[in-house]
Amino acid sequence: MEQNRQVIITRWPKETQKGILTALTEEGRAVELSLEPAKNPSLLGNIYIGKVKNLAPQIGAAFVEIGEGQICYFSLQENPSPLLVNRLNPNTKKPLVPGDELIVQVCREALKTKAPAVTCNLNFPGKYLVLTSQNRKIGISGKLDSDSRERLLRLLTPLWDGTYGLIARTNARDAGEEVLKKELDRLEKTWKSVLEKGKSRTCFSLLYQEEPPFLSALRSAREGTLSRILTDDPKLWEQIREYLLAFQPEDLNKLGLYEDRQLPLHKLYSLEKALEEALRERVWLKSGGYLVIQPTEALTVVDVNTGKYEGGKKKQQTYRKINREAALETARQLRLRNLSGIIIIDFIDMESEEDQEDLLTLLAEELKKDPVKALVMDMTRLHLVELTRKKLRKSLAEQWQELQNSPESAKINSRENE
């Protein structure tokens, strides 16, 4: 039976409305939270004509400017064939020199002290497929079973001309040939349009703008699983409606405009409480144990503690129970808080190797539910579990801090402290 999954979209904080809060809930509990600026949307996924500012061969990188003062990291190793549109010196044999202009896509937001990253491998995501400009192969989501993978490969191969790469997303599991062809035609048209614009537009031009995160959350939702899409803002409702009409008409009947002023939407779904809990360092488990989640500059550490749990004399059984609950909650918290990079989990020590293997298997299975790629690497000799989660967007804590530091929020806080 499918879970009751809803997407709630609202202006936040309510005092300033400087951001847009998107919450994905399952059975009434938040599993994803995202805060984006209302006026300065994310650059992630946008495609620009950038200019090479300088090269750093010692780290295998170039630094590319995509707008006045906006410098991005560009990996030379990962981009051996730059999409050049204007060469400073046409006679040079070097792949890139300062002053060269090229088409790039933002593939990672600025994270802490790191600049945004850009690539020449352009990606155009749809609900079922992703068109990639350079890796010219057909790929199928690893989350699909072998029968689905074979079916999709059989359907897509005749539609694909080999001039681009194609990835079938998890949502394509039951998609028919006509649906896939229609979306592929649209993605091809967008890709070709970007390349054509790149020939004539000036440096720093925006060639393609990705959908804002609150709309891409709808695109990424598992096919047929959303029961409701709800907002209390008429302007957002109109934006969502236009998007659904164009790309997801099957979900249009799930869109609702919440208008009850007696019980605001954020109160109805306890979004303030969900945000507060997702920003806390300590997370209590039902057993009485708890997690301590501490992001650092280099990695995120999750410490599992027994807390209030009283398991009697059978210590190993107690530890096994808490660790299993902690594994499930850790996977949820990584997704909820959008924690990425290297993550170290310090579970309670268990003597049995079988129990250790079962714990790693449980954690790996739970991470498969995460739309962002996350992998369990190993358990070290000190019984620390290492895993990685792909870096794409800022963490929820960073998003929250940016909104708190905005001039409008500062004025509100100043009035409250008077």
Side-chain angles (χ1 to χ4, degrees):
M1 192 174 82
E2 292 288 358
Q3 290 180 311
N4 178 19
R5 305 176 85 240
Q6 301 186 79
V7 174
I8 314 300
I9 303 169
T10 187
R11 303 279 179 179
W12 196 268
K14 287 302 174 184
E15 298 89 349
T16 63
Q17 300 200 353
K18 284 295 291 179
I20 297 172
L21 173 63
T22 304
L24 173 63
T25 68
E26 292 181 355
E27 302 301 338
R29 192 182 191 198
V31 294
E32 289 182 20
L33 290 172
S34 175
L35 275 168
E36 59 189 282
K39 292 185 178 179
N40 298 301
S42 169
L43 301 179
L44 187 64
N46 288 357
I47 298 176
Y48 300 88
I49 296 179
K51 178 182 285 188
V52 178
K53 288 290 287 184
N54 59 289
L55 298 172
Q58 68 276 16
I59 60 170
F63 291 92
V64 176
E65 187 175 15
I66 60 172
E68 192 171 345
Q70 181 64 73
I71 309 297
C72 302
Y73 174 88
F74 179 85
S75 170
L76 297 173
Q77 183 178 358
E78 294 175 9
N79 295 276
S81 304
L83 292 173
L84 290 158
V85 294
N86 187 16
R87 297 227 67 173
L88 185 68
N89 179 4
N91 298 319
T92 183
K93 293 182 179 180
K94 295 180 180 179
L96 283 178
V97 296
D100 282 348
E101 295 177 8
L102 67 168
I103 299 174
V104 292
Q105 182 173 38
V106 180
C107 59
R108 188 195 68 208
E109 283 190 319
L111 299 169
K112 297 177 181 175
T113 58
K114 294 183 179 180
V118 292
T119 178
C120 283
N121 183 23
L122 310 182
N123 279 253
F124 300 91
K127 186 169 180 62
Y128 307 105
L129 305 169
V130 179
L131 185 151
T132 65
S133 66
Q134 292 191 356
N135 188 18
R136 296 173 184 177
K137 298 178 182 178
I138 295 180
I140 312 291
S141 168
K143 296 183 179 181
L144 294 176
D145 57 68
S146 58
D147 289 344
S148 296
R149 291 166 66 86
E150 289 175 12
R151 184 188 78 88
L152 287 168
L153 189 59
R154 190 169 61 251
L155 288 178
L156 291 172
T157 301
L159 304 177
W160 173 66
D161 65 10
T163 61
Y164 51 82
L166 201 56
I167 301 169
R169 306 183 71 180
T170 309
N171 271 336
R173 183 193 307 272
D174 300 314
E177 183 178 0
E178 284 304 312
V179 171
L180 295 174
K181 185 178 186 307
K182 182 179 178 181
E183 181 165 277
L184 180 55
D185 288 344
R186 178 175 63 81
L187 295 178
E188 277 190 30
K189 185 178 179 181
T190 303
W191 169 54
K192 291 175 180 176
S193 172
V194 166
L195 295 183
E196 195 60 34
K197 288 178 185 175
K199 296 176 183 177
S200 57
R201 298 290 177 87
T202 58
C203 191
F204 306 147
S205 291
L206 174 63
L207 304 179
Y208 169 85
Q209 185 163 21
E210 176 59 292
E211 301 289 357
F214 70 90
L215 292 181
S216 60
L218 303 179
R219 182 180 63 204
S220 298
R222 290 202 307 272
E223 175 75 2
T225 62
L226 283 184
S227 57
R228 202 174 189 193
I229 304 163
L230 201 57
T231 182
D232 57 354
D233 185 281
K235 289 184 179 179
L236 291 178
W237 181 87
E238 188 59 41
Q239 274 185 270
I240 298 166
R241 179 177 174 276
E242 288 178 5
Y243 172 80
L244 293 176
L245 273 171
F247 305 114
Q248 292 177 225
E250 68 276 10
D251 289 326
L252 188 59
N253 64 332
K254 299 170 185 175
L255 176 61
L257 178 62
Y258 186 83
E259 298 179 292
D260 187 346
R261 300 306 171 200
Q262 298 299 314
L263 180 61
L265 184 63
H266 71 281
K267 294 288 186 184
L268 178 64
Y269 286 93
S270 303
L271 296 183
E272 197 165 9
K273 182 181 178 182
L275 260 177
E276 182 184 335
E277 291 178 350
L279 295 170
R280 284 180 188 164
E281 186 177 87
R282 182 171 297 195
V283 179
W284 286 98
L285 305 174
K286 290 180 181 178
S287 63
Y290 63 90
L291 311 177
V292 176
I293 302 174
Q294 295 179 317
T296 70
E297 189 67 33
L299 49 80
T300 296
V301 177
V302 181
D303 187 28
V304 182
N305 297 272
T306 56
K308 301 174 183 177
Y309 187 83
E310 296 180 5
K313 297 180 181 179
K314 299 180 180 179
K315 283 188 178 181
Q316 289 303 312
Q317 187 175 333
T318 298
Y319 297 161
R320 182 175 181 273
K321 178 180 175 65
I322 294 175
N323 279 340
R324 288 179 66 83
E325 187 181 356
L328 298 176
E329 186 60 30
T330 297
R332 174 179 171 266
Q333 290 293 328
L334 297 182
R335 184 177 172 189
L336 182 70
R337 300 169 184 235
N338 194 28
L339 298 172
S340 56
I342 300 170
I343 295 145
I344 303 294
I345 310 173
D346 186 6
F347 286 106
I348 303 166
D349 287 350
M350 296 186 295
E351 296 173 356
S352 166
E353 289 188 11
E354 184 180 350
D355 285 347
Q356 293 172 14
E357 288 298 322
D358 286 346
L359 182 64
L360 291 179
T361 300
L362 176 67
L363 180 60
E365 286 299 313
E366 196 64 18
L367 289 172
K368 288 181 181 178
K369 300 176 183 178
D370 192 337
V372 176
K373 187 176 183 180
L375 294 173
V376 177
M377 306 306 291
D378 203 358
M379 181 179 283
T380 71
R381 292 172 65 183
L382 295 175
H383 294 173
L384 301 174
V385 173
E386 300 174 315
L387 64 93
T388 62
R389 189 169 183 269
K390 190 173 181 180
K391 291 184 178 182
L392 292 173
R393 297 187 183 277
K394 297 181 178 73
S395 69
L396 180 65
E398 289 176 283
Q399 294 171 354
W400 172 253
Q401 195 60 49
E402 285 185 0
L403 284 182
Q404 288 293 94
N405 291 339
S406 67
E408 289 79 2
S409 295
K411 291 176 184 177
I412 291 288
N413 293 333
S414 176
R415 287 198 297 268
E416 288 178 350
N417 292 329
E418 286 178 356

